[in-house]
Amino acid sequence: MTELHPNNLTVARRSMDVLMPFHLEISLTGHIRHAGPTIRKILPSLAPGTDRFLEVFDVRRPRNVEKFSDLYAVGQTGLRVVCRDLSNLPMKGTLVRLPGGHGALVNLSLGISFAEVVADHKLYSTDFAASDPTVDMLYLIEAKSVALDESKRLNSRLQGAKALAEKQAVTDTLTGLRNRRAMDHHLAQLKARETDFGLMHLDLDYFKQVNDELGHAAGDFVLQQVAEVLQEETRASDMVARVGGDEFVLIFDNLVDLTVLDQIALRIIERLERPMDFGGKQCRVSASIGTTLSTFYNDPNVDRLLSDADEALYHSKREGRARHTIFDPDAMQTTAQVSI
């Protein structure tokens, strides 16, 4: 038997590691003498010199292989094996006899199972031979992954932009309250669900005076302060909408208790009459409010409710402002309550 010079053997193995990183050098006894770097990476427990090929791999083709000499006797042949340590991972390869009776060389590849192994063992293109078609598949997978990630990011941005646009479409930009469009939609939903509700229309008193004397910046500040008060005096389930310059509509889902609504209105008036400091200057406003209930009507009509609440509001204005008036369509009259 011809012996290989150690230096030549080392050079040969280094070359094989580059050209065939999935190769195994096997002795005539079936022991694995040397394993390529990628095989060692996916089988870190592999012990060259100790482990036998048939202990690590189960040969499915050729068939009826019970010992390595059976496989060696076949000569150059294609292989189908499964790796016992990797949940019977299927692999394919080629076996060739080494010259001089020095055993055999088996070069393996991952086949269709490469994606799973690449992910589980963090393999890169450098772990494969440059000519291995798996490299091309890795590039395709990476390109697909990049494209999918970019698509997800783009979709996320589009969804975010859509959500922002939808929010802006129903939001008053100055106060952050809902706008008239949102109010109309909410009222339509309440009517469709036949939900009882109270509707309150509020208009600021003396707001024009603030704008005329202190400027529009002061007016904007007052509107923002009013928005905070209205949100604090209502429930999270209620809707507060700014529907005009200094006009607001409050909608109370499933609240038609006039005593409770009157208390809310009077608290709002009392709080809005407190001076608001703007740059060292006092802004003073008040509020006139009109309220109606969906239960006042056999068939609640949204436009009718808004009109009646508006009539109640202007009754409060005529009676001296800083008042809350409840509209009763049956009595066709209004009852005003004065803020204390």
Side-chain angles (χ1 to χ4, degrees), residues 178-224:
R178 299 291 182 161
N179 59 18
R180 182 178 289 276
R181 179 180 180 183
M183 178 200 72
D184 290 340
H185 179 69
H186 188 61
L187 287 172
Q189 286 187 319
L190 292 176
K191 179 175 172 59
R193 295 197 302 262
E194 298 183 351
T195 302
D196 295 338
F197 62 93
L199 188 147
M200 195 176 284
H201 191 181
L202 180 152
D203 185 85
L204 295 181
D205 301 324
Y206 315 113
F207 180 71
K208 184 176 184 300
Q209 185 176 336
V210 171
N211 270 333
D212 291 345
E213 294 181 1
L214 301 179
H216 289 288
D220 289 347
F221 169 76
V222 168
L223 292 173
Q224 290 168 341

Side-chain angles (χ1 to χ4, degrees), residues 45-57:
S45 62
L46 182 67
T50 301
D51 289 340
R52 295 174 181 267
F53 180 77
L54 294 183
E55 293 172 345
V56 180
F57 299 94

Side-chain angles (χ1 to χ4, degrees), residues 5-18:
H5 190 280
N7 290 337
N8 292 338
L9 182 61
T10 299
V11 171
R13 285 176 175 172
R14 287 177 180 173
S15 300
M16 297 298 289
D17 285 349
V18 174

Side-chain angles (χ1 to χ4, degrees), residues 17 32 44 48 63 84 95 147 200 227 267 274 306 323 340:
D17 285 349
I32 297 174
R63 300 184 184 279
R84 304 180 194 273
L95 178 144
M200 195 176 284
R267 284 201 308 269
R274 298 174 189 174
L306 290 168
R323 283 168 167 76
I340 298 174

Side-chain angles (χ1 to χ4, degrees), residues 246-298:
D246 60 343
E247 293 182 57
F248 302 84
V249 168
L250 292 74
I251 303 170
F252 301 87
D253 296 14
N254 293 303
L255 177 53
V256 290
D257 187 322
L258 288 175
T259 300
V260 174
L261 290 170
D262 187 55
Q263 291 172 347
I264 294 172
L266 295 182
R267 284 201 308 269
I268 290 172
I269 294 171
E270 187 275 328
R271 288 191 61 183
L272 294 184
E273 287 187 321
R274 298 174 189 174
M276 303 175 190
D277 182 78
F278 177 73
K281 297 180 180 180
Q282 298 296 309
C283 301
R284 294 181 178 275
V285 296
S286 183
S288 296
I289 304 175
T291 295
T292 190
L293 305 178
S294 64
T295 52
F296 285 164
Y297 311 85
N298 292 328

Side-chain angles (χ1 to χ4, degrees), residues 158-178:
L158 289 174
Q159 291 297 325
K162 179 182 177 182
L164 178 61
E166 289 175 347
K167 182 179 180 180
Q168 290 175 338
V170 295
T171 302
D172 176 62
T173 56
L174 176 63
T175 62
L177 299 176
R178 299 291 182 161

